Amino acid sequence: MSTYNLIKALPAIDAAGVTLRREGWTERVHTSTVLWAAGVAASPLARAAAQQVFRQIEGRQFAVEPAIDVPPLEAEVSGGPGSLVDFRTLDKMERRFVWTVRIPDIIERVTGENAKAYPIRVYVGLKSAPTEEERVQLAIDELERTGAFDRTWLMVTTPTGTGYGNYAAAGALELLSLGDCANVAMQYGARPSPISLDRVSEGRKQVRLLVDALHAKLAERPADRRPNVILFGESLGAWSSQDAFLDQGTQGLVD
């Protein structure tokens, strides 16, 4: 890497160090290691070391948290009864996403109105199916199983680099719609966003496949029986979800 490119990369490298420290990696991951991971050190040994760090970080994301080590109790979320997504294939972030759904009791207490339905949350992880195409098909099948296409709102959430889907944003939609909504997310990485920039193309491809599959599915239904589709992304997920429509202009979103 040239000196000029190294200087340009320093803010992102520093941000990566901050993120890793926040995740509890102060003792194991130093900024110099992130420099290797960013490609500053070009030797095979340095690249191998960086890959080892990546594997350790990704291993933490796939760890099981004691509070969410059992499947959800409701069929409307992935991993629950009758789900096509095996709960054991969902990692820490994905389990948080399906477990934090706003149940009707919460919706009614917050809004003071009767809930219309139990909100749907679908999440397909990297371990849920071996290929992008199979993961997309699994997401579509899971949406169909839960009755998501009959809801008024359908939000497509593109997660951050770790696989984190913003459950506060998902919860806001659930409250505002009185539960008459569904949310679908798919994992494309398991590292903090600052060191997941190499995963943007993967995220972009996956979002494009999912949007195309949703388009085909909704085209089979009468216009008055299609949900309103919302696209939501945060951090690296915002980048990936927008890139899926690159060079298509507003017509890409319309399509």
Side-chain angles (χ1 to χ4, degrees):
M1 179 180 286
S2 70
T3 302
Y4 174 71
N5 287 332
L6 173 57
I7 293 172
K8 286 177 62 180
L10 285 177
I13 292 165
D14 184 61
V18 171
T19 300
L20 293 168
R21 287 193 292 275
R22 286 176 180 169
E23 292 292 323
W25 281 83
T26 308
E27 296 79 16
R28 296 189 229 177
V29 181
H30 190 269
T31 302
S32 60
T33 305
V34 181
L35 285 171
W36 285 354
V40 176
S43 71
L45 181 61
R47 287 198 296 273
Q51 290 302 317
Q52 177 63 26
V53 171
F54 284 163
R55 284 192 290 271
Q56 291 177 3
I57 294 171
E58 290 168 352
R60 281 180 64 102
Q61 295 305 321
F62 288 117
V64 175
E65 293 179 312
I68 48 176
D69 60 342
V70 294
L73 304 177
E74 300 296 335
E76 287 83 357
V77 298
S78 290
S83 175
L84 302 175
V85 177
D86 189 336
F87 184 70
R88 294 170 296 181
T89 67
L90 300 180
D91 71 14
K92 176 169 62 177
M93 295 300 179
E94 294 144 28
R95 293 184 177 195
R96 288 180 186 178
F97 189 79
V98 298
W99 259 108
T100 54
V101 64
R102 302 311 192 257
I103 62 176
D105 180 58
I106 292 177
I107 293 172
E108 292 173 357
R109 282 193 284 131
V110 171
T111 65
E113 300 183 50
N114 292 329
K116 295 180 180 179
Y118 196 107
I120 294 167
R121 289 199 191 181
V122 168
Y123 203 129
V124 176
L126 285 173
K127 293 185 176 181
S128 299
T131 67
E132 292 124 331
E133 290 77 11
E134 290 174 280
R135 289 194 289 272
V136 168
Q137 187 59 54
L138 180 57
I140 296 296
D141 292 343
E142 184 77 340
L143 287 169
E144 191 164 31
R145 177 193 71 83
T146 55
F149 298 117
D150 293 320
R151 298 298 172 92
T152 299
W153 299 95
L154 172 59
M155 184 153 81
V156 180
T157 293
T158 307
T160 66
T162 60
Y164 165 75
N166 191 322
Y167 27 85
L173 176 63
E174 290 162 354
L175 292 171
L176 292 170
S177 68
L178 299 178
D180 187 16
C181 64
N183 202 314
V184 57
M186 295 179 61
Q187 185 184 23
Y188 59 90
R191 309 176 205 149
S193 292
I195 53 174
S196 293
L197 299 181
D198 62 326
R199 303 295 294 175
V200 174
S201 59
E202 178 74 15
R204 176 195 305 133
K205 178 183 178 183
Q206 194 162 263
V207 173
R208 185 71 256 175
L209 288 171
L210 178 59
V211 169
D212 286 346
L214 286 171
H215 184 184
K217 193 69 182 177
L218 295 178
E220 299 172 357
R221 301 169 66 89
D224 60 351
R225 292 188 55 222
R226 297 172 189 163
N228 299 292
V229 179
I230 309 168
L231 188 65
F232 175 81
E234 180 179 356
S235 186
L236 207 64
W239 190 356
S240 299
S241 60
Q242 292 179 80
D243 272 12
F245 300 93
L246 200 63
D247 300 324
Q248 297 184 51
T250 55
Q251 190 57 42
L253 291 169
V254 171
D255 292 341

